[in-house]
Amino acid sequence: MLGGGGTVGLSYHAGALRALEQVGGLRPHDTGLIVGTSAGSVAAAYLRSGWGTEDLWGLALGTHPSVVEAEARNTQMFSPKFRNAPELARRTLGSSFVLGRSVVRSPAPVAPPGWLGRLFPGGLFDMAGARSRFAADLPQAWPERPLWLCTVDVANGRRVVLGQPGAPVADLHRAVLASCAIPGLYQPVRLDGRTLVDGGAKSHTNLDLVAAEGWDLVIAVAPTAFDPSDRPGTLVQLVRRGSTRRLAAEAALARRRGSEVLLVRPAAAAVHAQGYNLMRSTGWARVALAAYDTTARVLETPRFRSALAA
C-alpha cells in the first residue's frame, strides 16, 4: 500500500522502498498486489512497469537519466488552466465545488447540469509536466501484474479503484493522472462517464481496501502520517493527526481480519525533511535519504525482521 503525499511523498517512497529492498529483502516486484494512492500511484505504476527501487531512488536524487531528459524538456508541474481574471474566477468557483463534493459525503448527491460544469470547470492547474513524464517513462497498457490505483468519483464521493475487477477501463497514464488529481487544485479526469479525483480524498493509503482480501502480509508506506514511537513536534503532530489516526484504524481492521500489517511511517527526522510544502520541486534528495535511514532502523526491529522473514 503506497500512500499519497505530493512530490515530497514520492521522494519518501523512493527512500522507504529502497530500504525495504536493501535492508528488509523485499522487492516490490515480487508482491502479489500493489495499491497506489496519489503520489503512491505514481510509484506503483513505475514499479509495475519494470522500474526498480534503484530507479525511483535515482529519480529522487536527480541522478536518473529520465530526470535529465525532463529538465531538458522544461516540464511544469503547475500549468495554469486560466488566461485571465474572469477565467480564474470561474475556475475558482468550479474548483471549490469539486473540492466540496470530494470530501463531503452527501446522502443524495445531485449532479449539476452539463452546461454548468462547462461554465465553471474544476481545477486551476493542468498536470502537463506529469503527463509528459508519464508519456516518456510509462507504457499506456495496464501492467500484467496486479495493480490498483485509487480515485474518488466527484458525483457521489465514492472510491473507484482502477485496475480492480468491474472498474472503469483506463490506460495507465490517465489512471495515474486521475489518482493524482488533487481536488480543487488539478482538473479532474473523465473516465467512462465518471469524474475522478485524487484517491486521497477518501484515505491517504486506502489500507482498508485489502482488509477483506486475506493477505498474509500487508506493508503500508504512509508519507503523510508519523511514527508514534519517534514523534515530530507538536504542531506537526496536529497537522498529521488525521492521517495517522485513520491509518491506525485501517491497519487495526486488517489485523482483525487476519493479516499481519507493517506500517512504514516517517519518524521525526523524516518528517522534518519533508517540511510543510508537500508539492515542492526541491529538496527531494534530502527527503529520500531521511526516509531510507529511518525506514532502515524500523526494519531492524524484531517485529519487522520476524514478519519479513516469514
Side-chain angles (χ1 to χ4, degrees):
M1 312 295 299
L2 305 182
T7 56
V8 167
L10 182 57
S11 300
Y12 181 85
H13 280 304
L17 290 169
R18 190 65 177 150
L20 274 167
E21 181 171 339
Q22 289 195 324
V23 180
L26 177 71
R27 289 201 319 153
H29 177 75
D30 297 333
T31 58
L33 172 68
I34 300 181
V35 181
T37 300
S38 197
S41 73
V42 179
Y46 274 80
L47 291 170
R48 278 302 195 229
S49 297
W51 290 51
T53 63
E54 183 177 0
D55 296 309
L56 292 183
W57 181 252
L59 285 181
L61 269 59
T63 58
H64 195 277
S66 176
V67 175
V68 179
E69 294 171 5
E71 291 176 348
R73 294 192 300 268
N74 193 27
T75 55
Q76 299 294 322
M77 291 170 50
F78 296 98
S79 300
K81 295 290 291 183
F82 53 88
R83 294 169 295 180
N84 49 51
E87 286 187 3
L88 174 59
R90 289 192 292 108
R91 283 194 169 272
T92 298
L93 289 173
S95 298
S96 298
F97 174 80
V98 170
L99 178 60
R101 290 294 291 270
S102 301
V103 300
V104 178
R105 311 289 180 251
S106 64
V110 178
W115 65 266
L116 191 60
R118 291 189 293 272
L119 183 60
F120 299 101
L124 297 174
F125 300 97
D126 181 47
M127 289 184 283
R131 189 179 295 108
S132 176
R133 286 292 295 271
F134 298 157
D137 296 343
L138 298 175
Q140 282 195 320
W142 202 265
E144 293 183 2
R145 293 184 62 78
L147 170 68
W148 292 357
L149 302 182
C150 299
T151 69
V152 169
D153 189 337
V154 173
N156 52 32
R158 294 175 182 170
R159 179 168 52 200
V160 177
V161 185
L162 303 175
Q164 198 177 46
V169 178
D171 65 65
L172 187 59
H173 296 179
R174 288 183 62 78
V176 177
L177 288 172
S179 186
C180 294
I182 301 173
L185 185 64
Y186 289 120
Q187 185 166 347
V189 175
R190 292 281 295 175
L191 281 177
D192 196 22
R194 304 189 189 190
T195 303
L196 304 179
V197 295
D198 193 323
K202 180 173 179 63
S203 168
H204 285 182
T205 56
N206 289 285
L207 174 57
D208 59 305
L209 261 179
V210 298
E213 294 290 320
W215 295 99
D216 294 328
L217 176 63
V218 178
I219 300 175
V221 184
T224 60
F226 66 83
D227 187 344
S229 68
D230 187 1
R231 298 173 179 267
T234 302
L235 178 59
V236 179
Q237 288 186 47
L238 290 174
V239 172
R240 293 173 175 249
R241 180 171 58 183
S243 176
T244 302
R245 286 183 173 179
R246 184 177 182 98
L247 176 66
E250 292 177 350
L253 175 62
R255 287 170 180 143
R256 288 196 299 271
R257 300 291 178 84
S259 297
E260 173 71 59
V261 180
L262 301 179
L263 301 180
V264 178
R265 299 160 290 186
V271 171
H272 181 70
Q274 289 184 17
Y276 290 98
N277 180 8
L278 299 184
M279 293 300 293
R280 69 179 187 271
S281 58
T282 60
W284 295 353
R286 182 187 175 199
V287 173
L289 290 167
Y292 182 97
D293 290 341
T294 55
T295 302
R297 287 199 293 272
V298 171
L299 291 172
E300 294 294 349
T301 60
R303 184 180 177 207
F304 272 73
R305 285 203 307 267
S306 174
L308 293 174

